[in-house]
Amino acid sequence: MGYRPNILARSFSQRKTFTIGLVLPSIANPFYPEVAEAIEIGARQSEYQTVLCDTFRDHALGKQQMERLISRWVDGCIIMEGSLDMTDIAQYFHQGLPIVLCDWQEQETPPEIPHVRGDFFQAGTLAAQHFLELGHQHVAVIADEPGQTLRLQGFCSRFQEAGFPVPPEMIQQGNSTLNSGYSATQKLLTASTRPTAIFATTDLMAIGTLNAILDAGLRIPQDISLIGLDDINVSVRTRPALTSVGFPKDQLARAATDLLFAQIDGHNDHPALQLIEPYLAVRKSTTTPRNAQD
Amino acid sequence: MGYRPNILARSFSQRKTFTIGLVLPSIANPFYPEVAEAIEIGARQSEYQTVLCDTFRDHALGKQQMERLISRWVDGCIIMEGSLDMTDIAQYFHQGLPIVLCDWQEQETPPEIPHVRGDFFQAGTLAAQHFLELGHQHVAVIADEPGQTLRLQGFCSRFQEAGFPVPPEMIQQGNSTLNSGYSATQKLLTASTRPTAIFATTDLMAIGTLNAILDAGLRIPQDISLIGLDDINVSVRTRPALTSVGFPKDQLARAATDLLFAQIDGHNDHPALQLIEPYLAVRKSTTTPRNAQD
DNA sequence: CTGAAAGCGCTAACAT
DNA sequence: ATGTTAGCGCTTTCAG
């Protein structure tokens, strides 16, 4: 009869909004919209609506947005790495707000807060393994430190095991943006012995690396092989298409929403940490090193 | 004293949620996240929170999401082209929900609903003008019809004026995806006389075109020049970087939020249609045609 | 088993 | 000027 229930009044009376907040550090890196989409789909299947909050990596803005979310009585929040101070998050959590952390570094997360994360160490290992199988011995890494230490460690430890430790000058700092990948690569290319392969710990940096290598007049993968990490959608359409380590984003999203809804429903028996296994998407940016081909 | 006002209760009592809905057809085309971000920033400046709804171009899902937004008492909605049936939108509007349309085709929008749109005809003209100035006479268009007729018309009418009408076989159909641009281009390349320049009416199709041209062993811009439309962020980092017609997204967002907040505040004196002027971002994918260089 | 009433936290319209 | 109360629309509880 044209009657439309008033969800706001219902929420008000039963203290439940069927809304969750998703707090992420940036929308500029396509990785985040991609997982946000997966989370939104999962939440909708459980009749929840998702409110997106981009903090632009500004922790003060993040805190402000959190306060607003709480004032609106979101039933819970999924908070992605880098959006907020952990002390603030812990405080909200201990005040009783259901929270799931997504992709945070191990060392900075209180163990009691449920957490879903890609196995970044394993991801680094996977990249290293691929390079080793192709025959690379002189490799370089571009990492966004200190946030992405595990990826770096996984990679380096695998090369260490293989007997080809990565020298310090072959490890460059980036900040997960395309431009930082570009300039870090320029430094690597001026080194006395050029690496035959580069691992960039985010795809966006890898695309910067790709551009820098091509701009330097070198070829990918013939002169330098390249692996990224995140397996964002655009990586299939770079030229050459980027080989990348990724995590199944739907699986990541599913684990996060499951963990959150379990808390909301009062089931606190879930394990606190869910580790998602990485995969390697081999495309056109990796091959055997030139000297090995000769 | 640690007191946190209950926004939900406030909303309930004063019938105002300080929340707006943003309904868009797809998050896969980066254009939408980019304007969404601009709108969210603008809304936040006015103390409004934005709820994003992706309809995946499924009008039934779009309607469902709208019902939910209305049940939650959003103060108003910005609805982007292609997310919903116009009959449904008109109904919500006439029920009193403040609505702003964004980027809809002229012919399908009731004149009473406020509307902000890029001047697509002018955008097509701008692309044509650039090709003409470079000396191109044999050009092709890839358009997502019927949704993007104006861009096509603007382009063709400018070439008509210049005395080089675009023949029908040089107009290919796409659906705004990368792959559709790719296959449409393949058809164009098998034509008896190859065009010296191609205008793709969305950047995503243009990137498909770019890949198809390079895969065919041709060079950009030496063999074929290419212009896209949307000026999405990735276009600066394709290889070669894509020349593109764009609309200032912050201006688009600003106009949309202004129009919406005016309705919400009861000022209905705003003009119903705001037209945003396009710009041309010249990058590396356009140059003079080869025969003109000889 | 059906129907009336209390209450959620706030704002706005009262009355003092 | 300040303090008090009604009411927003739903759910839940308690009484009939």
Side-chain angles (χ1 to χ4, degrees):
Chain A
M1 314 177 299
Y3 170 72
R4 185 182 282 142
N6 184 330
I7 302 222
L8 194 69
R10 177 186 302 166
S11 301
F12 183 53
S13 111
Q14 68 181 24
R15 283 94 183 289
K16 186 148 169 47
T17 56
F18 282 92
T19 303
I20 63 171
L22 173 57
V23 185
L24 41 81
S26 161
I27 208 166
N29 183 338
F31 173 73
Y32 292 103
E34 287 172 27
V35 314
E37 188 181 10
I39 287 175
E40 204 218 310
I41 292 173
R44 186 161 55 231
Q45 283 168 350
S46 303
E47 304 286 312
Y48 277 76
Q49 200 151 19
T50 308
V51 177
L52 236 74
C53 290
D54 184 352
T55 71
F56 301 85
R57 294 199 182 274
D58 175 343
H59 289 203
L61 178 56
K63 185 170 182 180
Q64 194 183 320
Q65 301 232 51
M66 273 301 285
E67 294 285 338
R68 212 181 289 215
L69 285 174
I70 294 170
S71 299
R72 277 165 199 281
W73 285 9
V74 290
D75 295 339
C77 282
I78 296 173
I79 305 180
M80 300 203 71
E81 168 273 323
S83 358
L84 219 59
D85 280 344
M86 185 52 73
T87 52
D88 291 324
I89 297 175
Q91 192 190 335
Y92 296 134
F93 181 76
H94 291 120
Q95 283 171 8
L97 180 71
I99 284 181
V100 171
L101 303 173
C102 192
D103 266 353
W104 288 75
Q105 287 291 313
E106 196 173 7
Q107 59 273 22
E108 49 183 341
T109 59
E112 68 273 19
I113 307 183
H115 185 184
V116 44
R117 171 156 49 85
D119 187 342
F120 290 118
F121 188 91
Q122 181 62 24
T125 307
L126 221 53
Q129 186 65 32
H130 184 52
F131 279 157
L132 283 168
E133 283 168 3
L134 290 170
H136 290 276
Q137 300 176 0
H138 305 291
V139 298
V141 191
I142 300 170
D144 183 357
E145 285 267 63
Q148 303 176 341
T149 303
L150 282 172
R151 318 174 184 203
L152 178 63
Q153 287 175 349
F155 185 86
C156 291
S157 75
R158 185 67 194 80
F159 262 91
Q160 178 94 41
E161 280 173 25
F164 309 108
V166 183
E169 69 272 19
M170 285 290 114
I171 299 176
Q172 284 289 332
Q173 171 77 19
N175 67 359
S176 288
T177 63
L178 193 116
N179 289 337
S180 74
Y182 192 95
S183 41
T185 304
Q186 288 183 316
K187 285 181 206 151
L188 287 174
L189 295 183
T190 58
S192 51
T193 58
R194 210 170 59 204
T196 63
I198 298 178
F199 171 47
T201 57
T202 53
D203 273 8
L204 228 43
M205 292 197 294
I207 295 173
T209 296
L210 189 144
N211 287 350
I213 292 172
L214 297 179
D215 284 352
L218 298 167
R219 294 163 304 162
I220 300 176
Q222 296 90 334
D223 296 317
I224 299 183
S225 286
L226 176 62
I227 298 184
L229 192 158
D230 275 344
D231 195 25
I232 56 180
N233 292 336
V234 297
S235 296
V236 310
R237 62 184 196 232
T238 57
R239 297 192 68 84
L242 183 66
T243 294
S244 185
V245 180
F247 299 95
K249 293 189 189 67
D250 51 346
Q251 205 174 315
L252 201 73
R254 182 62 193 276
T257 49
D258 281 356
L259 241 38
L260 187 62
F261 294 144
Q263 280 183 77
I264 292 175
D265 298 339
H267 312 131
N268 289 324
D269 47 354
H270 273 250
L273 176 64
Q274 294 251 1
L275 224 48
I276 309 292
E277 286 308 303
Y279 60 83
L280 178 72
V282 178
R283 301 204 178 89
K284 303 294 186 187
S285 68
T286 43
T287 190
T288 52
R290 270 181 99 183
N291 51 348
Q293 287 173 321
D294 295 346
Chain B
M1 316 180 298
Y3 169 73
R4 186 183 282 141
N6 184 331
I7 302 220
L8 195 69
R10 177 186 302 165
S11 300
F12 184 54
S13 105
Q14 69 180 25
R15 283 98 182 289
K16 184 144 171 48
T17 56
F18 281 94
T19 303
I20 62 171
L22 173 57
V23 186
L24 41 81
S26 161
I27 208 167
N29 184 337
F31 173 73
Y32 293 103
E34 287 172 27
V35 315
E37 188 182 9
I39 287 175
E40 205 219 309
I41 292 174
R44 187 164 52 233
Q45 283 168 351
S46 304
E47 306 286 309
Y48 276 77
Q49 201 151 19
T50 308
V51 177
L52 236 76
C53 289
D54 184 354
T55 71
F56 300 84
R57 295 199 181 276
D58 174 344
H59 290 206
L61 178 57
K63 186 171 183 182
Q64 194 183 320
Q65 301 233 50
M66 273 301 285
E67 295 284 338
R68 211 182 290 216
L69 285 174
I70 294 169
S71 299
R72 279 166 196 280
W73 287 8
V74 290
D75 294 340
C77 282
I78 296 172
I79 305 180
M80 299 203 70
E81 169 271 324
S83 357
L84 218 61
D85 280 346
M86 185 52 74
T87 51
D88 291 323
I89 297 176
Q91 192 190 336
Y92 296 134
F93 181 77
H94 291 120
Q95 281 171 11
L97 179 71
I99 284 180
V100 171
L101 303 173
C102 192
D103 266 353
W104 290 75
Q105 287 290 316
E106 196 171 9
Q107 58 273 24
E108 51 183 341
T109 59
E112 69 272 21
I113 307 183
H115 185 184
V116 44
R117 172 158 47 85
D119 187 341
F120 290 118
F121 189 90
Q122 181 63 24
T125 308
L126 221 52
Q129 185 65 32
H130 184 53
F131 280 156
L132 284 168
E133 283 168 3
L134 290 170
H136 290 276
Q137 301 177 1
H138 305 290
V139 298
V141 191
I142 300 170
D144 183 358
E145 286 266 64
Q148 304 177 343
T149 303
L150 282 172
R151 317 174 186 202
L152 177 64
Q153 287 175 348
F155 185 87
C156 291
S157 75
R158 185 68 192 79
F159 262 91
Q160 177 95 42
E161 281 174 23
F164 309 107
V166 183
E169 70 271 19
M170 285 290 113
I171 299 177
Q172 285 290 332
Q173 170 79 20
N175 67 358
S176 289
T177 63
L178 193 117
N179 288 338
S180 74
Y182 191 96
S183 43
T185 305
Q186 288 183 315
K187 286 183 206 149
L188 287 174
L189 295 183
T190 58
S192 51
T193 57
R194 208 169 63 205
T196 63
I198 298 177
F199 171 47
T201 57
T202 53
D203 272 8
L204 227 43
M205 293 197 294
I207 294 173
T209 296
L210 188 145
N211 287 349
I213 292 172
L214 296 180
D215 285 351
L218 298 167
R219 294 163 303 163
I220 301 175
Q222 296 90 335
D223 296 316
I224 299 182
S225 286
L226 176 62
I227 298 184
L229 191 157
D230 275 343
D231 195 24
I232 57 180
N233 292 335
V234 298
S235 296
V236 310
R237 63 185 196 230
T238 58
R239 299 192 65 85
L242 183 67
T243 294
S244 185
V245 180
F247 300 95
K249 295 189 189 67
D250 51 345
Q251 205 175 314
L252 202 72
R254 181 62 193 275
T257 49
D258 280 357
L259 241 40
L260 188 62
F261 293 144
Q263 279 181 78
I264 291 174
D265 297 339
H267 312 131
N268 289 324
D269 47 354
H270 273 248
L273 176 64
Q274 294 251 358
L275 225 47
I276 308 293
E277 286 308 305
Y279 60 83
L280 178 72
V282 178
R283 301 204 178 89
K284 303 294 185 186
S285 69
T286 43
T287 190
T288 51
R290 268 180 102 183
N291 53 350
Q293 286 171 320
D294 297 347

